[in-house]
Amino acid sequence: MTLVLTTDPPPTADLVVIGGGVLGAATAFYASRAGLRTVVVERRPVLCSLTTPVAAGGFRLQFDNREETALVRESLETFENFAEVTGLRGYDLRLQKQGYLFVTTDPPTARRQAERVALQQSWGVHDVELLKGSEARYRFPYLSEQIISARYRAGDGFVDPKRLTYGYARASNATFLVSTSATGFQLAGGRIAGVQTSRGDIATNAVVIAAGPFTGQVARLAGLDFGLSAVRRHRLVMPEVPEVPSDAPFVIDEDNGAHWRPAFQGAYLVFTDPSTPPGDPLWSVPTDPEFVFLLLDPSSEHTVARACPFWRAVWERGTDHWVLQAGQYTYSPDHRPILGPTPIPGLYLNAGYSGHGVMGSAGGSRRVVDLLLGRADPATNPFRWDRPMTAHAFDVI
Ligand SMILES: Cc1cc2nc3c(=O)[nH]c(=O)nc-3n(C[C@H](O)[C@H](O)[C@H](O)COP(=O)(O)OP(=O)(O)OC[C@H]3O[C@@H](n4cnc5c(N)ncnc54)[C@H](O)[C@@H]3O)c2cc1C
């Protein structure tokens, strides 16, 4: 299966997907599988060049709600059987089930961990574990003596987001129209009749917007506003750090929000800073070197050395290389994705994953395509745009 990239827009399509990140590619995969002649419009000359390649690639079933748990569970089953599901024989997603480990030194947080684990088990996530500090340290000897409690699920882990995107894209029969911007919509009788692009119009009755942080801007071209916001998030890449165990889980300090996971011969380090204000969507997201010190300096409130003291030695040695990258989370008001039909017939959304778009990609995109084809009932879709949304209390991840 080869990837069809072109700069010649076809005159018609059954479906136009706007955006060639992981969610656009996954939408194209499920739509092609359902027999739709699909065109993906991507502004840039390659797929997967904006938010998706900056992701840490984590997936987990440790959520605070049943609906996203189901969404990611479906994705995880797809990741586990990716070669078979896609027909890409031997395709390697670099799937590593090394777990997600949330740790705390704080008694009230430890109590909340116990409640969260009980809730997750009641949703069928039976393999999530609550560990005492000593037990957590026995399994993960690099944890600080101060850790009193942890929640852990060994079956969580990470995939390579670029390989995932290109896998979906290759396995689809879609046409990928690159170096082309979607600039507007054509309506007939209030319904979608086509997409305007920088290279010409494509007549179609169905469009999915999967434009990452630009989704709000693209939806406004149709006069719609879904309250989406773009917020900068950094990823610090340290490609060689001898202290990092290559079999470590994603370790999240629930008290200060710092988290890291092994990558290359070192680690990715991330932090979801609740004080970062939303901004305009950006084609080039600037980095702030302060982020490095915020996470690495042992005297910082948000240091990774708090949960895992070996990071202090890394800081003191000072010789390890790092590369700082940034992308933008696309937040919805309740921090859950917005999937499915919009008030304009024929126009659909696949966006707003609020930092979970890689792990949600299969479950979310399959649902969008089912809604588009009338295989699922929009009224019972928990991710519909007009659900009651309450502002989300900030989670550390
Ligand atoms: C630092 C960081 C860490 C993260 N870690 C994780 C993680 O561990 N796990 C996880 O699940 N998620 C993670 N995420 C979130 C994840 O990266 C996103 O949810 C996901 O990549 C969104 O995919 P997308 O396809 O919607 O967006 P994008 O990858 O941004 O793709 C959107 C595409 O649309 C194109 N586009 C925009 N406007 C137009 C237009 N008008 N015409 C044509 N093309 C257009 C863009 O060029 C772009 O290629 C992380 C994000 C960041 C920033």
Side-chain angles (χ1 to χ4, degrees), residues 33 53 76 87 111 114 124 131 135 138 143-144 152 188 190 209 211 227 236 245 257 260 307 319 344 362 389:
R33 283 296 150 113
L76 176 51
R111 282 194 289 279
L131 306 177
E135 210 178 336
Y138 178 73
L143 290 178
S144 153
Y152 175 61
I209 309 176
L236 177 61
W260 62 271
T319 54
I344 297 180
M389 292 198 204

Side-chain angles (χ1 to χ4, degrees), residues 18-24 41-44 49-52 54-58 100 180-182 210-214 218 233-235 250 270 283 327-329 353 355-360:
I18 301 175
V22 70
L23 294 169
V41 181
E42 168 52 51
R43 183 186 193 262
R44 292 177 151 185
S49 73
L50 189 62
T51 320
T52 306
V54 184
Y100 259 64
T180 307
S181 294
F214 285 89
V218 174
R233 299 290 176 219
H234 286 91
R235 178 176 83 170
F250 216 138
V270 271
W283 292 111
Q328 290 175 303
Y329 276 20
Y353 285 73
H356 308 140
V358 173
M359 64 180 98

Side-chain angles (χ1 to χ4, degrees), residues 334-391:
D334 65 357
H335 291 196
R336 299 188 194 177
I338 303 183
L339 308 179
T342 70
I344 297 180
L347 186 60
Y348 298 80
L349 280 197
N350 189 5
Y353 285 73
S354 309
H356 308 140
V358 173
M359 64 180 98
S361 58
S365 304
R366 197 273 304 157
R367 279 168 170 76
V368 171
V369 171
D370 277 2
L371 287 158
L372 193 151
L373 293 170
R375 291 173 175 170
D377 179 5
T380 57
N381 166 23
F383 302 107
R384 65 190 183 277
W385 72 273
D386 58 348
R387 64 185 181 254
M389 292 198 204
T390 40

Side-chain angles (χ1 to χ4, degrees), residues 18-41:
I18 301 175
V22 70
L23 294 169
T27 309
F29 169 70
Y30 288 102
S32 302
R33 283 296 150 113
L36 299 181
R37 269 183 317 118
T38 304
V39 176
V40 177
V41 181

Side-chain angles (χ1 to χ4, degrees), residues 232-236 269-271 286-288 291 324-327:
R232 178 173 65 173
R233 299 290 176 219
H234 286 91
R235 178 176 83 170
L236 177 61
L269 298 91
V270 271
F271 170 54
T287 57
D288 179 353
F291 182 83
L324 188 56
Q325 301 176 305

